[in-house]
């Protein structure tokens, strides 16, 4: 069977994770890489990638490439996905779909017109958080009354923090410009949690409100609490923030029969060791692998992957309402 | 012998008193002819004071009031920092609350990376180094270092002397990491602070803890020696402390005044044997993988 040829656009933080995962896929091979950084291109070449481009448009015109993994800054999502669709490449696009609903709709429309497959990267859908979906589908929780979703850590202000010290990592300038990111912690981390909640409970929503926090004195919110009321009566709270050195991702779904609680805290030292030794990847990396593997299988089996661009557009619509309906402080 | 003071800060309303007491204990008196004063807090990442990683701007603000109260109200005070490999001051100063504090206190926040500077040559351990010396620091009548105390890979601790590393205007500081100990000492030789005031209210060891400590000394080597002891590390095993003493930056012979060292040594969240063992195994595993020809981690 012919392997799927992947083109990877963007070798930043998430792009590097996809790079390593593409190298491990059984049904696909990493055929081409594009990045504006010379260092990143050198990195790709040193790992045996022959087709390495500075301009991603050239990669998208490469006939050998079947599909693309787009891991570029958010402000480039719309342009990059649109050109990919025009070049009839299947698309795996990093979250969020775009900076705003308008750009998101453009992507959906272009992809539909080109009849290519598109999947938006939401790795939590391929992690232990899928257990809640199974529980809901099995009816184990009874009627769900409320839910609580938390995603708090460093966001773009990532550092390697352990008992030996805290080593900050460089933050690219675009992260500080909300016009380029589409917002702050709410769009960056909130989209993960909102995507999960819409997957769990459906996308019929009555109201969305939010409280946005600016601890970091920037133009964007560095933390947010979002209140969502679903049509079927479920009330949900989404709590996200970029302020903590320690990572916590958590979902509680409270039903009349049972409560489902999933927590993904910081990885244990033993997990880091097994990861370093190459025995077992960290859970967060494993879910990135699983989503990419699923995407490739969808192409092979001619299935439409989920979360789709339409799903991710719904997330953006909820986020847009949250920004619009900010509860003002006294 | 250099004097190092340890003062317990009950709460933030007592901060000014604690600062004044620290200076009194080490016998540091401000002369009335001081005009240009430079204050260097630690702003070298995007984690604010509450994590124990960076100097609390409220302490800097109180110090500015102490200086104005003790010397004169029309002092030319500058708060300084430079860009680093992973941090740009134009962003970190906002995130950490320095932009706001400096505006409120009407002092300029100076990015040394953008400043005028001149070449300074220095020799450490027989090696010659050339750095850019910012004129803001060179022309200062009083240079105050306001570090944190924390662990750091490569140098064991980051404290008073390591904070001066941030006065090097060159932003790509990771290029010096190969010779870090010598570079730290070299920079302390050309930009020796007159006074060090360590913010140990929130500290970061293996985790964050409230320690309510202010440390002061006119000698960065003595201050780092005491800090190392509080952090559970033998200062004789910290290369830049040993080298700094050999190079005449200061002395590790200290006289403690104020609170007892043991009170804070018990509170500091020290890394344990397990943490050290994990680091060793991790390093060994990585080097083994590289030796086996792996260019990237397998996952």
């Amino acid at each position: 069977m012919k392997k799927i040829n992947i083109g990877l656009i963007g070798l930043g933080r998430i792009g590097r994770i996809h790079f390593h995962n593409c190298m491990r896929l059984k049904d696909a091979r990493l055929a081409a890489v594009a990045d504006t950084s010379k260092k990143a291109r050198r990195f790709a070449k040193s790992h045996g990638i022959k087709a390495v481009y500075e301009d991603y448009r050239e990669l998208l015109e490469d006939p050998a490439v079947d599909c693309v993994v787009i891991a570029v800054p958010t402000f480039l999502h719309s342009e990059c996905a649109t050109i990919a669709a025009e070049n009839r490449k299947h698309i795996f696009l990093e979250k969020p779909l775009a900076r705003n609903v308008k750009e998101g709709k453009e992507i959906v429309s272009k992809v539909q017109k080109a009849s290519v497959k598109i999947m938006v990267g939401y790795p939590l859908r391929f992690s232990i958080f899928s257990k809640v979906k199974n529980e809901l589908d099995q009816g184990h929780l009874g009627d769900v009354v409320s839910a609580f979703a938390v995603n708090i850590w460093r966001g773009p202000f990532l550092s390697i923090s352990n008992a030996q010290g805290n080593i900050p990592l460089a933050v690219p300038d675009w992260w500080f410009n909300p016009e380029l990111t589409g917002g702050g912690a709410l769009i960056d981390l909130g989209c993960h949690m909102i995507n999960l909640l819409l997957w769990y409970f459906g996308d019929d929503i009555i109201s969305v409100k939010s409280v946005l926090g600016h601890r970091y004195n920037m133009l964007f919110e560095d933390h947010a609490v979002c209140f969502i009321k679903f049509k079927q009566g479920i009330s949900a709270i989404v709590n996200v923030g970029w302020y903590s050195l320690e990572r916590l991702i958590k979902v509680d779904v409270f039903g009349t029969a049972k409560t489902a609680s999933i927590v993904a805290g910081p990885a244990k030292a033993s997990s880091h060791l097994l990861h370093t030794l190459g025995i077992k990847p960290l859970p967060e990396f494993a879910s990135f692998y699983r989503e990419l593997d699923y995407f490739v299988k969808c192409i092979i089996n001619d299935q439409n992957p989920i979360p789709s661009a339409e799903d991710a557009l719904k997330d953006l619509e909820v986020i847009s309402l949250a920004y619009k309906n900010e509860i003002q402080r006294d | 012998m250099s004097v190092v003071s340890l003062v317990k800060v009950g709460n933030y309303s007592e901060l000014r008193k604690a600062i004044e007491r620290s200076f009194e204990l080490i016998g540091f008196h401000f002369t009335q002819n001081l005009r240009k004063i430079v204050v260097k807090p630690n702003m070298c990442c995007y984690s604010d004071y509450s994590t124990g990683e960076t100097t609390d701007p409220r302490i800097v603000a109180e110090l500015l009031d102490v200086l104005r109260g003790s010397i004169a109200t029309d002092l030319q005070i500058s708060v300084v920092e430079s860009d680093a490999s992973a941090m740009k001051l134009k962003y970190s100063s906002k995130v950490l609350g320095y932009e706001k504090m400096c505006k409120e206190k009407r002092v300029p926040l100076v990015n040394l990376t953008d400043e005028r500077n001149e070449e300074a040559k220095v020799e450490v351990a027989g090696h010659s180094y050339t750095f850019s010396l910012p004129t803001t620091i060179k022309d200062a009548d009083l240079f105050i270092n306001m570090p944190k105390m924390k662990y750091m890979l490569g140098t064991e601790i980051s404290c008073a002397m390591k904070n001066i590393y941030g006065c090097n205007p060159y932003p790509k500081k990771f290029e010096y990491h190969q010779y870090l100990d010598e570079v730290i000492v070299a920079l302390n030789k050309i930009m020796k602070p007159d006074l060090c005031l360590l913010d140990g209210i929130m500290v970061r060891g293996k985790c964050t803890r409230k320690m309510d400590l202010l440390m002061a000394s006119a000698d960065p080597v003595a201050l780092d020696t005491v800090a190392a002891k509080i952090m559970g590390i033998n200062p004789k095993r910290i290369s830049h402390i040993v080298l700094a003493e050999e190079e005449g930056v200061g002395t590790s012979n200290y006289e403690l005044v104020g609170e007892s060292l043991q009170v804070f040594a018990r509170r500091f969240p020290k890394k344990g044997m397990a943490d050290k063992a994990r680091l060793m195994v991790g390093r060994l595993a990585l080097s083994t993988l590289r030796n086996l020809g792996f260019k990237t981690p397998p996952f």
Side-chain angles (χ1 to χ4, degrees), chain A residues 20 24 46-47 154 161 163-166 168 170-171 173 176 215-218 245 269 273 276-278 280-281, chain B residues 45-48 50 53 86 88 91 94-95 151-153 204 271 275 278-279 281 285 289 295-296 298-299:
Chain A
H20 293 301
R24 293 172 54 223
S46 74
H47 284 78
R154 296 298 286 145
S161 186
Q164 317 305 328
N166 185 47
V171 186
D173 277 357
F176 293 95
R215 184 181 169 85
Y216 287 172
N217 311 300
M218 303 297 273
L245 287 176
L273 185 60
T276 309
L277 292 171
K280 193 181 173 195
Chain B
C45 67
Y46 298 107
S47 303
D48 70 21
S50 63
E53 288 284 347
K88 286 184 180 164
Y91 302 129
K94 274 181 192 280
V95 169
Y151 291 130
M152 197 192 159
L153 214 56
R204 179 104 184 142
K271 55 185 175 186
D275 300 309
R278 269 197 291 271
L279 179 71
V281 173
L289 285 172
K295 284 183 179 170
T296 61
F299 297 113

Side-chain angles (χ1 to χ4, degrees), chain A residues 148-152 183-191 193-194 209-215 220-227 237-243 319 322-323 326 329:
Chain A
F148 189 38
V150 179
N151 194 332
I152 287 173
L186 179 59
I187 190 167
D188 176 43
L189 300 178
C191 71
M193 309 324 285
I194 288 165
K209 283 183 181 162
S210 73
V211 177
L212 307 178
H214 296 83
R215 184 181 169 85
F220 48 78
E221 78 287 354
D222 45 68
H223 62 283
V225 178
C226 188
F227 308 91
I237 296 174
V238 175
N239 179 10
V240 294
W242 280 342
Y243 50 80
I319 289 162
Y323 279 129
E326 183 189 357
R329 283 177 229 179

Side-chain angles (χ1 to χ4, degrees), chain A residues 131-183:
Chain A
K131 284 183 185 171
V132 178
K133 177 68 175 160
N134 291 338
E135 293 241 50
L136 287 164
D137 290 347
Q138 300 284 328
H140 289 155
L141 305 186
D143 279 351
V144 174
V145 178
S146 60
F148 189 38
V150 179
N151 194 332
I152 287 173
W153 61 313
R154 296 298 286 145
F157 305 107
L158 202 61
S159 55
I160 301 165
S161 186
N162 56 33
Q164 317 305 328
N166 185 47
I167 305 161
L169 301 175
V171 186
D173 277 357
W174 68 273
W175 272 108
F176 293 95
N177 184 346
E179 284 186 18
L180 301 182
T181 55

Side-chain angles (χ1 to χ4, degrees), chain A residues 306-317:
Chain A
I306 50 168
S308 65
E310 284 90 343
D311 295 332
L313 181 59
K314 295 275 184 199
D315 305 337
L316 278 185
E317 284 168 353

Side-chain angles (χ1 to χ4, degrees), chain A residues 87-323:
Chain A
N87 283 279
R88 317 260 316 149
K89 308 292 184 199
H90 300 299
I91 302 163
F92 179 95
L93 177 62
E94 255 311 315
K95 67 85 206 171
L97 176 67
R99 286 180 288 186
N100 50 50
V101 173
K102 186 174 171 269
E103 281 187 353
K105 280 183 178 168
E106 279 167 16
I107 295 175
V108 170
S109 143
K110 292 278 179 179
V111 165
Q112 278 171 351
K113 205 170 155 191
S115 298
V116 291
K117 298 185 193 306
I118 182 166
M119 177 177 165
V120 178
Y122 279 116
L124 294 183
R125 295 267 286 247
F126 296 82
S127 69
I128 49 170
F129 291 95
S130 63
K131 284 183 185 171
V132 178
K133 177 68 175 160
N134 291 338
E135 293 241 50
L136 287 164
D137 290 347
Q138 300 284 328
H140 289 155
L141 305 186
D143 279 351
V144 174
V145 178
S146 60
F148 189 38
V150 179
N151 194 332
I152 287 173
W153 61 313
R154 296 298 286 145
F157 305 107
L158 202 61
S159 55
I160 301 165
S161 186
N162 56 33
Q164 317 305 328
N166 185 47
I167 305 161
L169 301 175
V171 186
D173 277 357
W174 68 273
W175 272 108
F176 293 95
N177 184 346
E179 284 186 18
L180 301 182
T181 55
L186 179 59
I187 190 167
D188 176 43
L189 300 178
C191 71
H192 282 293
M193 309 324 285
I194 288 165
N195 182 269
L196 277 184
L197 294 180
L198 300 196
W199 185 39
Y200 295 160
F201 311 135
D203 55 23
D204 269 351
I205 282 168
I206 296 173
S207 72
V208 182
K209 283 183 181 162
S210 73
V211 177
L212 307 178
H214 296 83
R215 184 181 169 85
Y216 287 172
N217 311 300
M218 303 297 273
L219 291 170
F220 48 78
E221 78 287 354
D222 45 68
H223 62 283
V225 178
C226 188
F227 308 91
I228 305 170
K229 183 85 183 165
F230 288 82
K231 199 176 178 184
Q232 50 170 305
I234 302 166
S235 306
I237 296 174
V238 175
N239 179 10
V240 294
W242 280 342
Y243 50 80
S244 179
L245 287 176
E246 191 170 277
R247 173 175 170 269
L248 179 75
I249 305 176
K250 184 175 189 277
V251 169
D252 295 317
V253 177
F254 304 94
T256 51
K258 193 185 158 189
T259 296
S261 289
I262 301 283
V263 181
K268 288 179 183 158
S270 55
S271 304
H272 278 287
L273 185 60
L274 291 175
H275 175 88
T276 309
L277 292 171
I279 296 165
K280 193 181 173 195
L282 286 171
E284 58 260 42
F285 291 110
S287 50
F288 276 99
Y289 175 81
R290 280 195 289 270
E291 64 175 358
L292 213 51
D293 185 48
Y294 162 79
F295 172 67
V296 167
K297 285 194 165 72
C298 283
I299 295 173
I300 292 168
N301 300 323
D302 194 21
Q303 289 170 341
N304 287 324
I306 50 168
S308 65
E310 284 90 343
D311 295 332
L313 181 59
K314 295 275 184 199
D315 305 337
L316 278 185
E317 284 168 353
V318 173
I319 289 162
S320 163
L321 279 172
Y323 279 129

Side-chain angles (χ1 to χ4, degrees), chain A residues 44-117:
Chain A
K45 279 179 188 163
S46 74
H47 284 78
I49 309 299
K50 299 267 184 320
V52 178
Y53 303 97
E54 183 177 359
D55 187 341
Y56 73 82
R57 289 173 191 84
E58 287 179 49
L59 181 147
L60 291 172
E61 285 165 9
D62 186 337
V65 172
D66 302 310
C67 67
V68 284
V69 173
I70 300 175
V72 294
T74 315
F75 66 95
L76 293 170
H77 280 195
S78 172
E79 179 191 290
C80 195
T82 300
I83 301 173
E86 284 167 0
N87 283 279
R88 317 260 316 149
K89 308 292 184 199
H90 300 299
I91 302 163
F92 179 95
L93 177 62
E94 255 311 315
K95 67 85 206 171
L97 176 67
R99 286 180 288 186
N100 50 50
V101 173
K102 186 174 171 269
E103 281 187 353
K105 280 183 178 168
E106 279 167 16
I107 295 175
V108 170
S109 143
K110 292 278 179 179
V111 165
Q112 278 171 351
K113 205 170 155 191
S115 298
V116 291
K117 298 185 193 306

